[in-house]
């Protein structure tokens, strides 16, 4: 029996990485918020790799953190290893990667949610979305509980019509032994949404005690303790290592002999899987010449013997999985704790969304996370916080909050989804960003903190710290610009050591620092007064000076880009009435309803001539309106 | 889009006469200043709405390109309401194109079809009733341009462009994969190897720029030899062409009079006609020199016009000449169709068989029939079947060259970055820019190509 169970401002369905951020942000913005999950035990569950961050994803975490999100803080608290990747490359592509203790991650996030004022977390299977007159009204759960709210955010991840496949075994289910979410998928379809079907998979978890680590090589974390969040000060984290081994011809032989039992090749699996996350059977078939594939053995936590076997994602039958794993050096006697599996699930085709992640068909209804065709914890979290911010703005009648492609990876991610659509589970890559040099790990706070503060998610203290840092960076940059070197034995020593050519008196410190071989800390050896400078400030200064020429170039490009983003298109333009547009462009524009000329130009099938036509159309309309006004 | 400066040839490319290069945008005057030197009034920037007499000069070589009249029309009192400079060239198609090339090199972007009118409208210069007409121009010319780009890119140029694109993409992918997947088994970033590959691409681009036939042809003329055994009508053909089309006669220094270079204008294409002494087997020493020179001219020629007597069967002399030229590009000119025997063109099948890729034109040099057709055939061969687009610019050619030049510049910067020891994410910026510049020649390069190729080339994944 249906009964009224509560009235809220915002309801978030799903407590995965998207849902947690969404729930927290709405509550922190003062909304009475309800967070629903199928199980309290799967809050912030990491069904796959126990790792957070890496290129692009790491930057994403820092951006979410600077906006006032939780993923960075929670990762810092739950990490059992941190590494900076790409250290041999430049700062723009350096990225932090953490191994997380999965259970701790879940417990810490659950605890944060439970203690968040204005947030209720409930174990409810949502089954139906209530919509009246094109507006969302609430959600009904499987027990008949009816919750009302004028804004609802769906973040159900891989649960919609989930189907688990292991060899020839298949059953309806969510990830990791959870219930699937079937009725909700039907409800979305009843509302007129088009759903697509994707697939992803995960390797087996094995028992640490059954591994002979002497046959593998150790992968330690960094000596220096780093953190994701700009607010975390943990500096004495224990670093638990990972281990590396390789597949070999025996492994590949086992796989090839059993390919006929693979659901991927028998056609038993229909959904499209991600190319960056292929199963081992896929790798062996597609890269048949490769004699070995690397396999990382990663701890799932500090209080568990379960180990994640990265690189061996599979949906082969369990008996084949065991035989295949036992061909790996060090795993000859391995015992499986949980078998690997593939999961197929429904996603909402993201062209049905606007850039604020609101569905175009139902006002007040937002979707975020893997349900939108992405993959990855970080991608989910980014959408979660953005959908939530926008749901609150929608409730307050404020314009949407959109981060542009030149401001953050968050912008790249959401614009790609909505404007370009997806053909496989979408993963963010740094190569997808046009202005990568500006979207760095180190300056995420510079890019986002102020926005977070204005939105109300960043505390005044934190904002003040940020202002101070910004001022310190500027001050130190000025000092380096204005301080000139004097040729001295100390200088000569540095230049010799770095095989750098001699400099003349009067060269500024910043000019010296521009040389690729000279580092900021080298300057500290010069016989000059060095005001104390915080290490984060020094890092920022060094990067800005070293990248200066390239930063200027990108800024020039960004200016052009912003001009096109600044020419707005109303969402209610009837493109069929615009004379001179090509048929394909009409179709795409009507479907995607871009908000600017810039966004329109990124839609595939909309070519430069169509953009010219649109600009002329805008001018025509402007003048017609003016004539009407003047006529009155 | 609206704040860059655009340029194009604004008048139909007529033979001989005057042509105007128009520049519009905030940089118009600065750009013009880089290529224009006034004869007397050095303060031409201040001379508004007047014609200023001077020269277009190639800064790099100091060479005068053309004698011109320039008019400086600062916005908003100009066609587009932006700063506009127009340069009236007098020297015909070659200097006109060269002038445009210099202007593009100085920082202008080649205008899209209809773009001047579009700007005029967007800036409020043209009234509402004109909007639809402009849309029509944009639509129609874009479709033409698309066809044009495709037809132009058939053949060798297309292949070379593809090869460059593939090579650049694979270099980009190598760097990008190493950046995005540092823990996967992708090839490590090796500056030396990348530098070497970029060097090769750069050389290739340069040779394309040099040889991009249109570019070269328009700068230097299409080197054309008329060839054929004696008495097939070479000299009559030459005379007809000269009488109608002669531009300048030059005597090449250091040669005897038996090779004369004549410059003709065939449908806007400058043709350097090389008149050879007839090729004939001979023991005569003097003639031998002539024959050797002829062979050399064939070697250096861009185009061969082989004249055959349509009224007789092919003989061994014809066949020997065919052997000499069969690897060249050329046109078979079947002369003497006015004769009764010639009208049957008995040797057509044989000729088609022997020179399968050569177009064939039937003429009568005597009655001056078929000359127009011959002219068209030559122009088509050079331009790849291109027609003159409505805006009057042979857009695609200037554009091709321009994109290649841009790409080369980016490659140079990428190599410089490598030599400076800069990190890969910086180096790849210019490699990507080069790739995109070349990509604009044949249409679309998109970021997704990079992502796709990363996953196709490397086994990536957890
Ligand atoms: C097997 C597997 C392998 C993966 N492999 C990778 C990988 O290799 N790399 C990678 O980057 N990512 C991988 N992922 C993806 C990554 O786990 C997800 O992208 C991420 O967790 C998505 O977060 P989310 O918040 O969108 O959804 P989820 O984390 O899936 O959370 C969904 C939440 O919704 C709740 N929910 C669902 N339906 C309802 C309902 N009807 N009512 C109430 N609550 C509901 C659930 O209880 C859960 O709390 C994998 C996922 C799976 C399952």
């Amino acid at each position: 029996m249906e009964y009224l169970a509560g009235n809220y401002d915002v309801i978030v369905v799903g407590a995965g990485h998207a849902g947690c951020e969404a729930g927290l942000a709405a509550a922190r913005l003062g909304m009475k918020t309800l967070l629903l999950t199928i199980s309290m035990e799967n809050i912030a569950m990491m069904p796959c790799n126990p790792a957070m961050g890496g290129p692009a994803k790491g930057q994403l975490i820092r951006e979410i953190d600077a906006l006032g999100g939780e993923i960075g803080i929670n990762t810092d608290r739950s990490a059992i290893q941190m590494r900076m990747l790409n250290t041999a490359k430049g700062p723009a592509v350096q990225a932090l990667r953490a191994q997380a203790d999965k259970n701790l991650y879940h417990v810490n996030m659950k605890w944060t949610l439970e203690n968040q004022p204005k947030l209720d977390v409930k174990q409810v299977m949502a089954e139906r979305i209530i919509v009246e007159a094109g507006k969302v009204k609430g959600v009904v759960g499987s027990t008949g509980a009816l919750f009302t709210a004028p804004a609802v955010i769906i973040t159900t991840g891989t649960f919609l019509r989930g189907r688990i496949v292991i060899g020839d075994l298949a059953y309806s289910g969510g990830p990791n032994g959870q219930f699937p979410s079937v009725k909700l998928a039907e409800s979305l379809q009843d509302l007129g949404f088009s759903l697509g079907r994707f697939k992803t998979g995960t390797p087996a978890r094995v028992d640490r005690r059954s591994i002979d680590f002497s046959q593998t090589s150790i992968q330690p974390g960094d000596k220096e303790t780093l953190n994701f969040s700009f607010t975390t000060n943990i500096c004495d984290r224990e670093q638990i290592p990972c281990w590396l081994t390789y597949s070999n011809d025996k492994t590949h032989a086992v796989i090839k002999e059993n390919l006929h039992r693979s659901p991927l090749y028998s056609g038993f699996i229909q959904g499209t899987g991600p190319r960056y996350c292929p199963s081992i059977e896929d790798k062996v078939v597609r890269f048949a010449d490769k004699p070995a594939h690397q396999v990382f053995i990663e701890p799932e936590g500090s209080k568990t013997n379960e180990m994640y076997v990265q690189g061996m994602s599979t949906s082969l039958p369990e008996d084949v999985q065991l035989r295949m794993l036992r061909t790996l050096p060090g795993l000859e006697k391995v015992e499986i704790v949980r078998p690997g599996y593939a999961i197929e699930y429904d996603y909402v085709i993201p062209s049905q969304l606007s850039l604020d992640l609101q569905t175009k068909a139902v006002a007040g209804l937002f979707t975020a996370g893997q349900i939108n065709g992405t993959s990855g914890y970080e991608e989910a979290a980014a959408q979660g916080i953005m959908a939530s911010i926008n749901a609150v703005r929608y409730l307050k009648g404020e314009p949407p909050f959109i981060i542009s492609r030149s401001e953050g990876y968050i912008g790249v991610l959401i614009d790609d989804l909505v404007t370009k659509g997806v053909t496989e589970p979408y993963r963010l890559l740094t190569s997808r960003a046009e202005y990568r040099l500006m979207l760095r790990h180190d300056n995420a706070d510079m890019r986002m903190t102020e926005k977070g503060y204005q939105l109300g998610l960043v505390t005044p203290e934190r904002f003040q710290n940020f202002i101070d840092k910004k001022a310190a960076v500027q001050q130190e940059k000025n000092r380096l610009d204005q301080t000139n070197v004097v040729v001295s034995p100390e200088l000569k020593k540095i230049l010799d050591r770095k095989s750098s050519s001699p400099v003349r008196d009067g060269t500024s410190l910043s000019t010296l620092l521009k040389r690729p071989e000279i580092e900021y800390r080298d300057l500290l050896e010069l016989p000059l007064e060095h005001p104390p400078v915080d290490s984060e400030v020094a890092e920022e200064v060094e990067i800005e000076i070293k990248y200066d020429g390239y930063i200027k170039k990108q800024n020039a490009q960004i200016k052009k880009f912003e001009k096109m983003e600044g020419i707005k298109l109303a969402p209610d333009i009837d493109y069929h009435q615009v004379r001179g547009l090509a048929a394909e462009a009409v179709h795409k524009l009507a479907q995607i309803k871009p908000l600017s000329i810039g966004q329109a130009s990124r839609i595939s099938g909309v070519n430069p001539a169509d953009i010219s036509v649109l600009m002329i159309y805008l001018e025509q309309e402007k003048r017609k309106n003016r004539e009407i006004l003047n006529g009155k | 889009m609206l704040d860059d400066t655009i340029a194009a040839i604004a008048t139909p490319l007529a033979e001989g006469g005057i042509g105007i290069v128009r520049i519009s945008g905030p940089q118009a005057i600065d750009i013009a200043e880089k290529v224009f030197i006034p004869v007397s009034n050095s303060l031409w920037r201040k001379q508004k709405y007047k014609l200023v007499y001077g020269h277009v000069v190639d800064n790099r070589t100091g060479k005068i390109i053309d004698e011109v009249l320039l008019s400086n029309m600062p916005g908003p009192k100009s066609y587009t309401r932006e700063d506009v400079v127009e340069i009236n060239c007098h020297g015909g198609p070659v200097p006109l194109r060269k002038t445009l090339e210099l202007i593009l090199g100085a920082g202008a972007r080649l205008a899209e079809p209809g773009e001047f009118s579009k700007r005029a409208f967007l800036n409020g210069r043209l009234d509402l009733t004109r909007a639809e007409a402009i849309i029509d121009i944009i639509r129609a010319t874009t479709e033409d341009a698309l066809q044009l780009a495709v037809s132009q890119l058939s053949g060798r140029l297309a292949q070379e462009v593809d090869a460059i694109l593939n090579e650049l993409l694979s270099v980009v992918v190598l760097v990008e994969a190493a950046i995005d997947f540092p823990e996967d088994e992708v090839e490590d970033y090796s500056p030396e190897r990348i530098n070497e590959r970029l060097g090769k691409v750069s050389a290739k681009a340069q040779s394309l720029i040099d040889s991009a036939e249109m570019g070269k042809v328009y700068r230097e003329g299409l080197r054309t030899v008329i060839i054929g055994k004696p008495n097939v009508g070479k000299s009559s053909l030459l005379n007809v062409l000269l009488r109608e089309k002669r531009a300048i006669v030059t005597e090449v220094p250091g040669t005897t009079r038996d090779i004369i270079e004549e410059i003709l204008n065939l449908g806007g294409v400058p043709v350097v006609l090389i008149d050879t002494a007839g090729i004939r087997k001979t023991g005569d020493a003097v003639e031998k020199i002539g024959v050797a020179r002829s062979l050399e001219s064939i070697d250096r020629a861009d185009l061969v016009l082989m004249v055959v007597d349509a009224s007789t069967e092919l003989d061994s002399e014809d066949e020997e000449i065919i052997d000499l030229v069969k690897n060249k590009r050329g046109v078979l000119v079947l002369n003497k169709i006015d004769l009764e025997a010639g009208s049957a063109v008995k040797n057509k099948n044989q000729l088609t068989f022997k020179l399968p890729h050569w177009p064939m034109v039937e003429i009568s040099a005597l009655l001056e029939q078929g000359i127009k057709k011959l002219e068209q055939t030559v122009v088509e061969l050079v331009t790849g079947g291109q027609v003159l687009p409505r805006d009057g610019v042979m857009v695609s050619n200037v554009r091709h060259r321009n994109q290649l030049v841009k790409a080369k510049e980016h490659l140079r910067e990428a190599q410089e970055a490598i030599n400076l020891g800069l990190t890969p994410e910086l180096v790849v910026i210019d490699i990507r820019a080069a790739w995109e510049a070349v990509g604009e020649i044949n249409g679309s390069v998109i970021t997704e190509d990079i992502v796709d190729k990363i996953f196709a080339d490397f086994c990536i994944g957890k």
Side-chain angles (χ1 to χ4, degrees), chain A residues 14-15 17-18 37-38 42 48 124 126 157 181 201 277 370 376-377:
Chain A
H17 306 277
T37 172
I38 293 179
N42 73 19
C48 199
V124 171
S181 188
C277 243
Q370 189 134 3
Y377 314 128

PDB file of all heavy atoms in Angstrom, chain A residues 14-15 17-18 37-38 42 48 124 126 157 181 201 277 370 376-377, ligand 1:
ATOM      1  N   GLY A  14      20.065   6.566  -5.052  1.00  0.00           N
ATOM      2  CA  GLY A  14      21.350   5.904  -5.264  1.00  0.00           C
ATOM      3  C   GLY A  14      22.422   6.530  -4.393  1.00  0.00           C
ATOM      4  O   GLY A  14      22.551   7.754  -4.340  1.00  0.00           O
ATOM      5  N   ALA A  15      23.181   5.683  -3.716  1.00  0.00           N
ATOM      6  CA  ALA A  15      24.225   6.184  -2.817  1.00  0.00           C
ATOM      7  C   ALA A  15      25.593   5.674  -3.252  1.00  0.00           C
ATOM      8  O   ALA A  15      26.433   5.293  -2.453  1.00  0.00           O
ATOM      9  CB  ALA A  15      23.931   5.780  -1.378  1.00  0.00           C
ATOM     10  N   HIS A  17      28.957   6.731  -5.907  1.00  0.00           N
ATOM     11  CA  HIS A  17      29.857   7.889  -5.859  1.00  0.00           C
ATOM     12  C   HIS A  17      29.169   9.150  -6.340  1.00  0.00           C
ATOM     13  O   HIS A  17      29.440  10.244  -5.848  1.00  0.00           O
ATOM     14  CB  HIS A  17      31.119   7.569  -6.646  1.00  0.00           C
ATOM     15  CG  HIS A  17      31.729   6.307  -6.140  1.00  0.00           C
ATOM     16  ND1 HIS A  17      32.551   6.287  -5.050  1.00  0.00           N
ATOM     17  CD2 HIS A  17      31.531   5.002  -6.489  1.00  0.00           C
ATOM     18  CE1 HIS A  17      32.882   5.030  -4.774  1.00  0.00           C
ATOM     19  NE2 HIS A  17      32.264   4.233  -5.635  1.00  0.00           N
ATOM     20  N   ALA A  18      28.250   9.006  -7.270  1.00  0.00           N
ATOM     21  CA  ALA A  18      27.479  10.162  -7.719  1.00  0.00           C
ATOM     22  C   ALA A  18      26.479  10.566  -6.642  1.00  0.00           C
ATOM     23  O   ALA A  18      26.374  11.736  -6.271  1.00  0.00           O
ATOM     24  CB  ALA A  18      26.755   9.844  -9.029  1.00  0.00           C
ATOM     25  N   THR A  37      19.045   4.255  -1.004  1.00  0.00           N
ATOM     26  CA  THR A  37      19.956   3.233  -1.532  1.00  0.00           C
ATOM     27  C   THR A  37      19.311   1.868  -1.376  1.00  0.00           C
ATOM     28  O   THR A  37      18.507   1.653  -0.457  1.00  0.00           O
ATOM     29  CB  THR A  37      21.320   3.269  -0.812  1.00  0.00           C
ATOM     30  OG1 THR A  37      22.086   2.132  -1.230  1.00  0.00           O
ATOM     31  CG2 THR A  37      21.166   3.239   0.701  1.00  0.00           C
ATOM     32  N   ILE A  38      19.637   0.963  -2.269  1.00  0.00           N
ATOM     33  CA  ILE A  38      19.081  -0.383  -2.185  1.00  0.00           C
ATOM     34  C   ILE A  38      19.553  -1.049  -0.908  1.00  0.00           C
ATOM     35  O   ILE A  38      18.828  -1.799  -0.276  1.00  0.00           O
ATOM     36  CB  ILE A  38      19.498  -1.209  -3.422  1.00  0.00           C
ATOM     37  CG1 ILE A  38      18.842  -0.629  -4.673  1.00  0.00           C
ATOM     38  CG2 ILE A  38      19.138  -2.671  -3.244  1.00  0.00           C
ATOM     39  CD1 ILE A  38      19.199  -1.337  -5.957  1.00  0.00           C
ATOM     40  N   ASN A  42      25.938  -0.899   0.633  1.00  0.00           N
ATOM     41  CA  ASN A  42      26.655  -0.603  -0.615  1.00  0.00           C
ATOM     42  C   ASN A  42      26.903   0.895  -0.812  1.00  0.00           C
ATOM     43  O   ASN A  42      27.260   1.327  -1.901  1.00  0.00           O
ATOM     44  CB  ASN A  42      25.959  -1.233  -1.837  1.00  0.00           C
ATOM     45  CG  ASN A  42      24.665  -0.527  -2.229  1.00  0.00           C
ATOM     46  OD1 ASN A  42      24.434   0.628  -1.844  1.00  0.00           O
ATOM     47  ND2 ASN A  42      23.830  -1.208  -2.984  1.00  0.00           N
ATOM     48  N   CYS A  48      34.807  -2.210  -8.436  1.00  0.00           N
ATOM     49  CA  CYS A  48      35.893  -2.660  -9.310  1.00  0.00           C
ATOM     50  C   CYS A  48      37.219  -2.368  -8.640  1.00  0.00           C
ATOM     51  O   CYS A  48      37.440  -2.664  -7.489  1.00  0.00           O
ATOM     52  CB  CYS A  48      35.746  -2.013 -10.677  1.00  0.00           C
ATOM     53  SG  CYS A  48      36.685  -2.900 -11.930  1.00  0.00           S
ATOM     54  N   VAL A 124      15.917   2.128   0.717  1.00  0.00           N
ATOM     55  CA  VAL A 124      14.650   2.025  -0.022  1.00  0.00           C
ATOM     56  C   VAL A 124      14.968   1.720  -1.482  1.00  0.00           C
ATOM     57  O   VAL A 124      15.842   2.343  -2.066  1.00  0.00           O
ATOM     58  CB  VAL A 124      13.865   3.369   0.037  1.00  0.00           C
ATOM     59  CG1 VAL A 124      12.666   3.318  -0.907  1.00  0.00           C
ATOM     60  CG2 VAL A 124      13.426   3.698   1.446  1.00  0.00           C
ATOM     61  N   ALA A 126      13.851   2.395  -4.857  1.00  0.00           N
ATOM     62  CA  ALA A 126      12.913   3.266  -5.579  1.00  0.00           C
ATOM     63  C   ALA A 126      12.397   2.529  -6.805  1.00  0.00           C
ATOM     64  O   ALA A 126      13.157   1.838  -7.488  1.00  0.00           O
ATOM     65  CB  ALA A 126      13.613   4.550  -6.008  1.00  0.00           C
ATOM     66  N   GLY A 157      23.751   4.072 -11.148  1.00  0.00           N
ATOM     67  CA  GLY A 157      24.939   3.333 -11.588  1.00  0.00           C
ATOM     68  C   GLY A 157      24.652   2.206 -12.551  1.00  0.00           C
ATOM     69  O   GLY A 157      23.961   2.391 -13.554  1.00  0.00           O
ATOM     70  N   SER A 181      17.867  -3.183 -10.327  1.00  0.00           N
ATOM     71  CA  SER A 181      16.828  -2.183 -10.245  1.00  0.00           C
ATOM     72  C   SER A 181      16.038  -2.254 -11.551  1.00  0.00           C
ATOM     73  O   SER A 181      16.446  -1.707 -12.549  1.00  0.00           O
ATOM     74  CB  SER A 181      17.531  -0.836 -10.077  1.00  0.00           C
ATOM     75  OG  SER A 181      16.644   0.166  -9.822  1.00  0.00           O
ATOM     76  N   GLY A 201      33.020  -5.181 -16.696  1.00  0.00           N
ATOM     77  CA  GLY A 201      33.374  -6.420 -16.014  1.00  0.00           C
ATOM     78  C   GLY A 201      34.432  -6.200 -14.974  1.00  0.00           C
ATOM     79  O   GLY A 201      35.017  -5.118 -14.863  1.00  0.00           O
ATOM     80  N   CYS A 277      38.966  -0.933 -20.854  1.00  0.00           N
ATOM     81  CA  CYS A 277      38.846  -1.883 -19.768  1.00  0.00           C
ATOM     82  C   CYS A 277      38.529  -3.245 -20.350  1.00  0.00           C
ATOM     83  O   CYS A 277      37.520  -3.843 -20.010  1.00  0.00           O
ATOM     84  CB  CYS A 277      37.704  -1.456 -18.864  1.00  0.00           C
ATOM     85  SG  CYS A 277      38.212  -1.053 -17.229  1.00  0.00           S
ATOM     86  N   GLN A 370      27.076   6.750 -13.565  1.00  0.00           N
ATOM     87  CA  GLN A 370      27.168   5.717 -14.596  1.00  0.00           C
ATOM     88  C   GLN A 370      25.848   5.561 -15.356  1.00  0.00           C
ATOM     89  O   GLN A 370      25.840   5.099 -16.480  1.00  0.00           O
ATOM     90  CB  GLN A 370      27.597   4.385 -13.967  1.00  0.00           C
ATOM     91  CG  GLN A 370      27.920   3.318 -14.993  1.00  0.00           C
ATOM     92  CD  GLN A 370      29.206   2.578 -14.715  1.00  0.00           C
ATOM     93  OE1 GLN A 370      29.861   2.799 -13.715  1.00  0.00           O
ATOM     94  NE2 GLN A 370      29.584   1.697 -15.620  1.00  0.00           N
ATOM     95  N   GLY A 376      33.448   4.862 -14.035  1.00  0.00           N
ATOM     96  CA  GLY A 376      34.473   5.372 -13.123  1.00  0.00           C
ATOM     97  C   GLY A 376      33.877   6.120 -11.954  1.00  0.00           C
ATOM     98  O   GLY A 376      32.873   6.810 -12.080  1.00  0.00           O
ATOM     99  N   TYR A 377      34.523   5.946 -10.801  1.00  0.00           N
ATOM    100  CA  TYR A 377      34.041   6.581  -9.567  1.00  0.00           C
ATOM    101  C   TYR A 377      34.115   8.104  -9.678  1.00  0.00           C
ATOM    102  O   TYR A 377      33.218   8.816  -9.264  1.00  0.00           O
ATOM    103  CB  TYR A 377      34.905   6.147  -8.379  1.00  0.00           C
ATOM    104  CG  TYR A 377      35.188   4.663  -8.323  1.00  0.00           C
ATOM    105  CD1 TYR A 377      36.493   4.190  -8.190  1.00  0.00           C
ATOM    106  CD2 TYR A 377      34.151   3.727  -8.392  1.00  0.00           C
ATOM    107  CE1 TYR A 377      36.761   2.824  -8.132  1.00  0.00           C
ATOM    108  CE2 TYR A 377      34.421   2.369  -8.337  1.00  0.00           C
ATOM    109  CZ  TYR A 377      35.725   1.921  -8.212  1.00  0.00           C
ATOM    110  OH  TYR A 377      35.988   0.580  -8.162  1.00  0.00           O
TER     111      TYR A 377
HETATM  112  C1  LIG C   1      31.656  -4.961 -12.398  1.00  0.00           C
HETATM  113  C2  LIG C   1      32.047  -3.534 -12.506  1.00  0.00           C
HETATM  114  C3  LIG C   1      33.248  -3.219 -13.059  1.00  0.00           C
HETATM  115  C4  LIG C   1      33.654  -1.914 -13.163  1.00  0.00           C
HETATM  116  N1  LIG C   1      34.859  -1.650 -13.667  1.00  0.00           N
HETATM  117  C5  LIG C   1      35.299  -0.376 -13.703  1.00  0.00           C
HETATM  118  C6  LIG C   1      36.589  -0.077 -14.124  1.00  0.00           C
HETATM  119  O1  LIG C   1      37.357  -0.964 -14.442  1.00  0.00           O
HETATM  120  N2  LIG C   1      36.992   1.199 -14.187  1.00  0.00           N
HETATM  121  C7  LIG C   1      36.195   2.189 -13.837  1.00  0.00           C
HETATM  122  O2  LIG C   1      36.592   3.340 -13.897  1.00  0.00           O
HETATM  123  N3  LIG C   1      34.960   1.941 -13.417  1.00  0.00           N
HETATM  124  C8  LIG C   1      34.502   0.682 -13.335  1.00  0.00           C
HETATM  125  N4  LIG C   1      33.262   0.424 -12.884  1.00  0.00           N
HETATM  126  C9  LIG C   1      32.414   1.551 -12.703  1.00  0.00           C
HETATM  127  C10 LIG C   1      32.378   2.225 -11.384  1.00  0.00           C
HETATM  128  O3  LIG C   1      32.216   1.293 -10.383  1.00  0.00           O
HETATM  129  C11 LIG C   1      31.190   3.091 -11.503  1.00  0.00           C
HETATM  130  O4  LIG C   1      31.386   3.959 -12.579  1.00  0.00           O
HETATM  131  C12 LIG C   1      30.858   3.932 -10.341  1.00  0.00           C
HETATM  132  O5  LIG C   1      30.744   3.212  -9.181  1.00  0.00           O
HETATM  133  C13 LIG C   1      29.563   4.597 -10.687  1.00  0.00           C
HETATM  134  O6  LIG C   1      29.089   5.338  -9.640  1.00  0.00           O
HETATM  135  P1  LIG C   1      27.567   5.677  -9.556  1.00  0.00           P
HETATM  136  O7  LIG C   1      27.415   6.527  -8.376  1.00  0.00           O
HETATM  137  O8  LIG C   1      27.097   6.180 -10.825  1.00  0.00           O
HETATM  138  O9  LIG C   1      26.828   4.299  -9.348  1.00  0.00           O
HETATM  139  P2  LIG C   1      27.089   3.116  -8.332  1.00  0.00           P
HETATM  140  O10 LIG C   1      28.357   3.273  -7.640  1.00  0.00           O
HETATM  141  O11 LIG C   1      26.834   1.888  -9.084  1.00  0.00           O
HETATM  142  O12 LIG C   1      25.956   3.327  -7.256  1.00  0.00           O
HETATM  143  C14 LIG C   1      24.602   3.118  -7.562  1.00  0.00           C
HETATM  144  C15 LIG C   1      23.791   3.335  -6.318  1.00  0.00           C
HETATM  145  O13 LIG C   1      22.439   3.359  -6.679  1.00  0.00           O
HETATM  146  C16 LIG C   1      21.685   2.612  -5.766  1.00  0.00           C
HETATM  147  N5  LIG C   1      20.465   2.205  -6.460  1.00  0.00           N
HETATM  148  C17 LIG C   1      20.353   1.597  -7.647  1.00  0.00           C
HETATM  149  N6  LIG C   1      19.058   1.451  -7.964  1.00  0.00           N
HETATM  150  C18 LIG C   1      18.358   1.966  -6.958  1.00  0.00           C
HETATM  151  C19 LIG C   1      16.963   2.077  -6.684  1.00  0.00           C
HETATM  152  N7  LIG C   1      16.059   1.661  -7.553  1.00  0.00           N
HETATM  153  N8  LIG C   1      16.599   2.648  -5.542  1.00  0.00           N
HETATM  154  C20 LIG C   1      17.496   3.092  -4.649  1.00  0.00           C
HETATM  155  N9  LIG C   1      18.812   3.006  -4.860  1.00  0.00           N
HETATM  156  C21 LIG C   1      19.241   2.440  -5.986  1.00  0.00           C
HETATM  157  C22 LIG C   1      22.591   1.513  -5.328  1.00  0.00           C
HETATM  158  O14 LIG C   1      22.204   1.021  -4.105  1.00  0.00           O
HETATM  159  C23 LIG C   1      23.917   2.255  -5.273  1.00  0.00           C
HETATM  160  O15 LIG C   1      24.051   2.841  -4.027  1.00  0.00           O
HETATM  161  C24 LIG C   1      32.816  -0.885 -12.754  1.00  0.00           C
HETATM  162  C25 LIG C   1      31.585  -1.192 -12.210  1.00  0.00           C
HETATM  163  C26 LIG C   1      31.203  -2.516 -12.085  1.00  0.00           C
HETATM  164  C27 LIG C   1      29.888  -2.818 -11.471  1.00  0.00           C
END
